[in-house]
Amino acid sequence: MDLINSPYNTQHQPLVATIGFFDGVHTGHQYLIEQLKIEAKKKNLPSAVITFPVHPRRVLSSDYQPALLCGYEEKVKRLATTDVDYCVTLDFTKEMSTLSAKEFIQQILKDKLNVQTLLIGYDHRFGHNREDGFEEYQQYGKEVGIDVIQACELDSSNHVSSSRIRRLLGEGDVVKANQLLGYNYTISGQIVEGFQVGRTIGFPTANIKIWEDFKVVPAFGVYAVYVLIDEDQYEGMLYIGKRPTLHNGDNISLEVNILDFDQNLYGKSLSVEFIEFMRPDEKFKDLETLVKHIKQDKIDVGNLLKKLRGSQQSKSQS
């Protein structure tokens, strides 16, 4: 996939394109892109996903804090896995926000990007105040020489949307969220120095400072996770919460204990893939009780990931 960081199609070749913010690049987005590639192949033209590096509402209001399933760089990487030909990133501006759908189709899609066919998501709207719908888009496209077609919904009985996935993560249901995403929800960041209490009680943890400021953090609790460091994958248990037993105040901690691993990781980067929610966060009566529960967490996480590993090996051999 080639990345075009410009509102101009420098190749001057016609494109079959779709447009959207594509937060998460979930299975609904992937289904839309599959339809895009089929349409592009029919017309023997390159396929393109047009998206934005910053959430449009954030551009219009600096106080707006979007809850993101993935930051811009992660989004581009996930779009690359779809084998679309181009990812075109548009810098959304306040001036652009004033364009009607008709003006956007003419001035941006036609004049600047040379879009020949536009595939519209079944529920997608754009243009100032999102006043128009698919029938109007078709008419505006016809006037300027763009064939506007509407995509099919993935599965109306199992609605997939970024907002639904955010809600599931907020409830700790990472298994269902992963199903809708089509991959394991991931948080990436830098390992920073924490309170180092974990090491003193026999469970050293890597404290994570997330790269993306607006990344959705799942519900407080303990999770079974995979940890990726320097291209190597490890198994681990992740804690998200305010450490109430240790009177941590309102500071939210994200700390991962990598199973059977004891190396100094300060300053390194890592990614954590959420596999399953184990238990909610809770305040224990004392440190001894906390340690007892963490020991059980480690056993439970280890057993779950071992079972999952065995299941995956069986599938690969069958």
Side-chain angles (χ1 to χ4, degrees):
M1 180 188 78
D2 289 333
L3 181 64
I4 303 176
N5 289 305
S6 166
Y8 298 94
N9 176 7
T10 53
Q11 282 76 19
H12 300 292
Q13 60 186 140
L15 299 173
V16 177
T18 189
I19 185 169
F21 189 63
F22 295 99
D23 187 29
V25 194
H26 54 60
T27 53
H29 296 141
Q30 294 164 31
Y31 185 61
L32 170 65
I33 293 170
E34 284 304 309
Q35 294 176 70
L36 175 75
K37 292 191 297 182
I38 290 170
E39 195 64 32
K41 188 173 182 180
K42 284 181 188 175
K43 300 191 174 181
N44 197 28
L45 291 174
S47 58
V49 170
I50 302 168
T51 191
F52 308 95
V54 178
H55 196 289
R57 282 184 62 184
R58 176 99 178 136
V59 175
L60 299 178
S61 175
S62 59
D63 294 333
Y64 176 66
Q65 298 187 357
L68 299 179
L69 298 175
C70 59
Y72 172 65
E73 289 184 3
E74 182 183 353
K75 175 166 64 175
V76 170
K77 287 179 181 177
R78 296 209 179 276
L79 285 171
T81 66
T82 67
D83 293 326
V84 70
D85 294 314
Y86 294 106
C87 174
V88 182
T89 59
L90 282 179
D91 286 323
F92 188 83
T93 63
K94 290 183 178 180
E95 292 74 23
M96 190 181 292
S97 73
T98 65
L99 297 178
S100 65
K102 183 176 184 178
E103 292 168 331
F104 185 82
I105 287 172
Q106 171 72 69
Q107 297 176 28
I108 305 296
L109 299 182
K110 181 63 178 181
D111 295 346
K112 291 185 176 180
L113 294 176
N114 198 11
V115 172
Q116 185 187 91
T117 299
L118 179 65
L119 182 67
I120 300 288
Y122 75 97
D123 62 350
H124 184 66
R125 286 175 177 261
F126 60 87
H128 183 64
N129 292 332
R130 300 186 176 186
E131 296 165 339
D132 298 324
F134 177 69
E135 290 184 1
E136 286 82 7
Y137 301 155
Q138 270 193 315
Q139 181 58 40
Y140 303 151
K142 190 175 181 181
E143 292 174 8
V144 299
I146 295 178
D147 182 20
V148 179
I149 56 179
Q150 191 167 38
C152 300
E153 185 180 3
L154 173 59
D155 180 359
S156 58
S157 65
N158 188 25
H159 179 64
V160 181
S161 69
S162 299
S163 58
R164 185 183 178 196
I165 295 169
R166 292 185 198 104
R167 186 166 60 251
L168 288 167
L169 292 172
E171 296 167 355
D173 192 350
V174 294
V175 172
K176 184 61 177 178
N178 289 346
Q179 290 173 356
L180 300 186
L181 284 167
Y183 58 85
N184 296 329
Y185 185 66
T186 303
I187 280 179
S188 300
Q190 184 177 27
I191 301 168
V192 296
E193 190 168 344
F195 293 96
Q196 299 186 356
V197 175
R199 187 170 294 277
T200 65
I201 61 176
F203 297 95
T205 59
N207 292 265
I208 306 167
K209 182 180 179 183
I210 302 175
W211 295 127
E212 172 54 59
D213 290 337
F214 303 113
K215 182 82 172 181
V216 172
V217 176
F220 287 0
V222 177
Y223 295 84
V225 299
Y226 291 136
V227 184
L228 188 68
I229 304 173
D230 295 333
E231 305 301 324
D232 293 320
Q233 188 184 75
Y234 304 91
E235 296 177 347
M237 59 177 180
L238 176 79
Y239 168 77
I240 302 174
K242 296 183 179 180
R243 310 200 313 169
T245 308
L246 301 174
H247 307 289
N248 197 41
D250 289 330
N251 295 321
I252 298 174
S253 295
L254 279 85
E255 43 191 283
V256 62
N257 173 260
I258 304 172
L259 306 186
D260 305 317
F261 182 93
D262 188 17
Q263 294 181 26
N264 186 350
L265 296 172
Y266 290 138
K268 281 184 171 287
S269 301
L270 59 68
S271 294
V272 173
E273 294 183 10
F274 288 79
I275 304 303
E276 192 158 320
F277 180 79
M278 304 304 294
R279 67 168 175 85
D281 192 14
E282 56 184 303
K283 182 176 181 179
F284 300 107
K285 64 179 181 179
D286 53 36
L287 188 60
E288 183 180 352
T289 307
L290 171 63
V291 172
K292 180 181 176 181
H293 278 80
I294 294 175
K295 286 181 178 178
Q296 188 59 50
D297 290 337
K298 185 172 183 178
I299 293 170
D300 293 342
V301 167
N303 288 338
L304 184 144
L305 294 177
K306 181 180 179 181
K307 182 179 178 181
L308 183 62
R309 190 166 63 247
S311 175
Q312 291 171 339
Q313 289 173 348
S314 298
K315 287 181 180 179
S316 64
Q317 292 171 358
S318 61

